[in-house]
């Protein structure tokens, strides 16, 4: 092989150095290419009890693991030679426009994850043109969320408490603040057994025990932010002496019935979605009551372990009821490909909870922006590679659900 000395002009293009990013947070977030990357950063930067509250699920955490596995076990069927230079990720959902096929799910105790809490999520949602959902157990007020997302879409998630008047007072406040959708959660008659929280002694707010003091050593910034910002406050309480699970059991109303749902619907003036649907029969029953949408969800695996996988239930509910109500989905979503698969199988819209919180824990508001950016890029790229230019072009023919263990026979079939 003949060799020669390279000319300086030939070396110059190879010796261009990237400008260093001196901001450590921006550097961390830029290095995150997936939601899993954000999760790893979040785990390093957040105390164990707060991280586990987000990351964990009920009992053996099988429901969550199966939901995530269901999305991994899909096969896409792309079309080729389509002009996909421009892709439209927007659509109409529950009477309003959304820029992307996902929004931010309601999450409780969010300022425990990062002191910017729900306000960071609302700001990021406003920039992205997607809905932000505030939980009954949120750590920011209804009015503050409206201020943070003044011109965007805000949704309110309702837990019906034993104290009905107190619950409906929050609903009235949400309506007065212009929240356009109410998510009535129906899968929490009692709190699930979230064993990580019990083992960690997760309390509201976190208490300084020997364990938490030791855990504070590698997380000084988190504790500094907690102790030097406004004290945590909740829609329902300022302080609770026990664990999260004990508090939830004092609140949730195990007597809630379909009649109560009808009463809530009569009271709420805007769109109403029932969150926590896990069977076709229950989906049909609430649609018959005239709700605007059903949210297929097993609460992120945080309630009944071994619950149905919402993604597996989606095609049947969309086929049977999609003409009468909008079908939404959550649980297990960790990538834009997951979202595209859900839309292809009939979901009008999806909600992401943990994916948003991993971004929040990794970098506050900038981390939420990064999570949305990652998911948005993945949605667009998956659509282009499938050969579609709009969400309405996605159909069940684009996706096959692969069942790792086959479909079992239920007791009703024997």
């Amino acid at each position: 092989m003949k060799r020669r000395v390279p000319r300086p002009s030939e070396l110059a293009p190879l010796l261009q150095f990237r400008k260093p990013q001196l901001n450590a947070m921006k550097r961390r977030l830029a290095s995150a290419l997936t939601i899993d990357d954000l999760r790893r950063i979040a785990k390093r930067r957040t105390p164990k009890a707060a991280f586990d509250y987000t990351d964990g699920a009920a009992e053996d955490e099988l429901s969550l693991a199966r939901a995530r596995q269901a999305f991994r076990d899909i096969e896409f069927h792309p079309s080729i030679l389509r002009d996909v230079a421009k892709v439209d990720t927007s659509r109409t959902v529950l009477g309003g426009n959304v820029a992307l096929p996902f929004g931010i799910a309601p999450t409780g105790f969010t300022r425990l994850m990062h002191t910017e809490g729900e306000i960071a999520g609302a700001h990021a949602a406003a920039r992205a043109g997607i809905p932000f959902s505030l939980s009954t157990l949120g750590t920011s007020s209804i009015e503050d969320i409206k201020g943070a997302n003044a011109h965007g879409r805000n949704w309110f998630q309702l837990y019906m408490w034993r104290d009905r008047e107190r619950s409906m007072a929050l609903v009235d406040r949400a309506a007065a603040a212009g929240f356009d959708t109410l998510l009535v959660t129906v899968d929490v008659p009692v709190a699930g057994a979230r064993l990580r929280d019990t083992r960690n002694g997760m309390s509201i707010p976190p208490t300084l025990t020997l364990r938490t003091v030791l855990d504070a050593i590698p997380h000084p910034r988190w504790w500094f932010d907690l102790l030097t910002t406004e004290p945590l406050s909740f829609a329902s309480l300022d302080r609770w002496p026990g664990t999260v699970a004990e508090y939830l059991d004092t609140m949730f109303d195990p007597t809630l019935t379909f009649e109560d749902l009808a009463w809530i619907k009569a009271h709420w003036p805007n769109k109403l979605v029932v969150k926590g649907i896990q069977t076709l029969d229950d989906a049909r029953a609430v649609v018959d009551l005239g709700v605007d949408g059903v949210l297929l969800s097993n609460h992120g695996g945080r309630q009944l372990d071994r619950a149905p996988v919402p993604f597996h239930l989606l095609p049947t509910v969309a086929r049977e009821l999609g003409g009468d109500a909008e079908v939404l989905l959550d649980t297990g979503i960790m990538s834009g490909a997951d979202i595209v698969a859900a839309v292809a199988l009939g979901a009008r819209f999806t909600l992401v909870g943990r994916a948003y919180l991993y971004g929040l824990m990794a970098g506050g508001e900038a981390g939420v922006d990064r999570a949305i950016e990652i998911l948005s890029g993945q949605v667009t790229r998956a659509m282009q590679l499938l050969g579609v230019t709009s969400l309405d072009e996605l159909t069940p023919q684009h996706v096959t659900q692969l069942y790792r263990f086959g479909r079992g026979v239920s007791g009703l079939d024997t």
Side-chain angles (χ1 to χ4, degrees), residues 55-388:
D55 194 60
E59 302 193 36
D60 292 328
E61 304 190 357
L62 296 175
S63 288
L64 176 59
R66 290 174 181 176
R68 287 183 172 164
Q69 190 62 54
F71 281 111
R72 295 187 185 102
D73 291 342
I74 62 171
E75 182 177 87
F76 280 126
H77 306 295
S79 300
I80 62 170
L81 299 176
R82 306 295 200 274
D83 181 355
V84 292
K86 295 182 179 179
V87 170
D88 183 5
T89 61
S90 67
R91 71 184 340 179
T92 300
V93 175
L94 296 168
N97 293 326
V98 297
L100 294 162
F102 64 90
I104 293 180
T107 60
F109 314 128
T110 309
R111 285 191 61 222
L112 283 175
M113 314 310 129
H114 190 285
T115 50
E116 294 179 13
E118 291 93 350
I119 299 300
H123 282 158
R127 282 189 290 272
I130 61 176
F132 177 84
S133 306
L134 176 66
S135 170
T136 296
L137 300 177
T139 46
S140 298
S141 73
I142 289 167
E143 293 75 17
D144 284 347
I145 293 301
K146 177 62 177 179
N149 188 18
H151 304 293
R153 300 189 64 186
N154 294 308
W155 297 358
F156 184 70
Q157 175 269 334
L158 174 68
Y159 287 125
M160 182 57 78
W161 301 336
R162 298 170 191 264
D163 186 342
R164 301 295 176 89
E165 290 186 7
R166 202 174 180 190
S167 297
M168 297 313 291
L170 290 173
V171 171
D172 291 339
R173 284 171 57 190
F179 282 51
D180 64 76
T181 299
L182 183 68
L183 305 174
V184 181
T185 298
V186 295
D187 60 351
V188 190
V190 297
R194 301 172 193 176
L195 302 185
R196 289 203 219 181
D197 296 343
T198 302
R199 290 170 179 141
N200 289 331
M202 176 70 171
S203 61
I204 314 165
T207 52
L208 289 173
T209 64
L210 177 60
R211 176 186 294 180
T212 54
V213 169
L214 291 175
D215 194 35
I217 295 172
H219 306 107
R221 179 58 185 266
W222 188 94
W223 282 100
F224 175 79
D225 287 345
L226 177 72
L227 297 173
T228 60
T229 55
E230 286 294 317
L232 290 175
S233 60
F234 302 87
S236 53
L237 80 164
D238 292 323
R239 182 174 291 273
W240 174 256
T243 66
V244 171
E246 290 168 342
Y247 167 63
L248 297 181
D249 273 335
T250 68
M251 284 183 52
F252 296 148
D253 187 353
T255 70
L256 195 68
T257 66
F258 284 96
E259 288 74 17
D260 296 302
L261 178 61
W263 177 73
I264 295 169
K265 181 180 183 301
H267 192 90
W268 174 253
N270 302 317
K271 298 292 186 180
L272 187 143
V273 173
V274 179
K275 180 180 184 294
I277 297 295
Q278 297 174 66
T279 70
L280 174 61
D281 287 344
D282 281 345
R284 183 177 287 116
V286 299
V287 169
D288 288 345
L289 284 176
V291 304
D292 301 289
V294 293
L295 176 49
L296 306 182
S297 169
N298 65 24
H299 215 100
R302 296 164 71 81
Q303 285 300 109
L304 176 67
D305 206 12
R306 300 175 176 84
V309 174
F311 185 58
H312 286 165
L313 182 62
L314 172 62
T316 301
V317 173
R319 182 176 61 249
E320 297 291 328
L321 301 173
D324 301 315
E326 296 187 30
V327 180
L328 288 71
L329 182 89
D330 72 20
T331 304
I333 294 172
M334 288 287 284
S335 76
D338 299 343
I339 295 167
V340 167
V343 172
L345 291 180
R348 189 69 188 170
F349 196 62
T350 64
L351 290 174
V352 296
R354 287 183 178 89
Y356 138 67
L357 291 177
Y358 292 144
L360 180 68
M361 289 186 287
E365 189 170 316
V368 181
D369 285 334
R370 182 60 180 149
I372 293 173
E373 182 183 32
I374 288 169
L375 293 173
S376 174
Q378 291 171 336
V379 166
T380 299
R381 184 167 54 252
M383 291 174 63
Q384 289 175 308
L385 291 173
L386 283 171
V388 302

